[in-house]
């Protein structure tokens, strides 16, 4: 899991060039991020995160499952 926090390269590896789908490295980074974010006091209290997808633009509060789904497409 530390790979995902030591480097942000996984963010640039969203698409796997061989399969032309979302890469395992990117999905691993998302999962590591959500494990960290969902353990923060603010999330525990509100049960929402700012969605950082292109559509929500880090403005809309969403449930973690919705944010994960938005980032995985």
């Amino acid at each position: 899991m530390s790979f995902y926090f030591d480097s942000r390269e996984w963010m640039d590896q969203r698409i796997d060039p061989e399969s032309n789908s979302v890469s395992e490295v990117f999905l691993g980074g998302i999962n590591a991020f959500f494990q960290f974010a969902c353990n923060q006091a603010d999330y525990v209290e509100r049960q929402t995160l700012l969605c950082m997808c292109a559509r929500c633009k880090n403005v809309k509060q969403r449930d973690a499952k919705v944010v994960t789904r938005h980032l995985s497409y």
Side-chain angles (χ1 to χ4, degrees), residues 33-72:
F33 168 76
F34 280 110
Q35 284 179 355
F36 174 78
C38 291
N39 285 314
Q40 301 306 302
D42 191 48
Y43 178 78
V44 172
E45 181 181 325
R46 296 180 191 203
Q47 295 294 305
T48 61
L49 299 167
L50 284 171
C51 184
M52 66 281 306
C53 78
R55 200 173 3 166
C56 296
K57 299 181 182 176
N58 213 28
V59 175
K60 296 181 181 179
Q61 292 280 339
R62 303 281 189 199
D63 163 291
K65 289 181 183 180
V66 172
V67 176
T68 302
R69 203 170 42 241
H70 283 192
L71 295 178
S72 298

Side-chain angles (χ1 to χ4, degrees), residues 9-54:
E9 290 178 18
W10 64 270
M11 292 179 188
D12 297 326
Q13 298 174 12
R14 185 172 186 273
I15 302 297
D16 180 352
E18 292 180 16
S19 66
N20 204 28
S21 62
V22 178
S23 75
E24 292 298 320
V25 172
F26 185 78
L27 292 174
I30 288 175
N31 289 333
F33 168 76
F34 280 110
Q35 284 179 355
F36 174 78
C38 291
N39 285 314
Q40 301 306 302
D42 191 48
Y43 178 78
V44 172
E45 181 181 325
R46 296 180 191 203
Q47 295 294 305
T48 61
L49 299 167
L50 284 171
C51 184
M52 66 281 306
C53 78

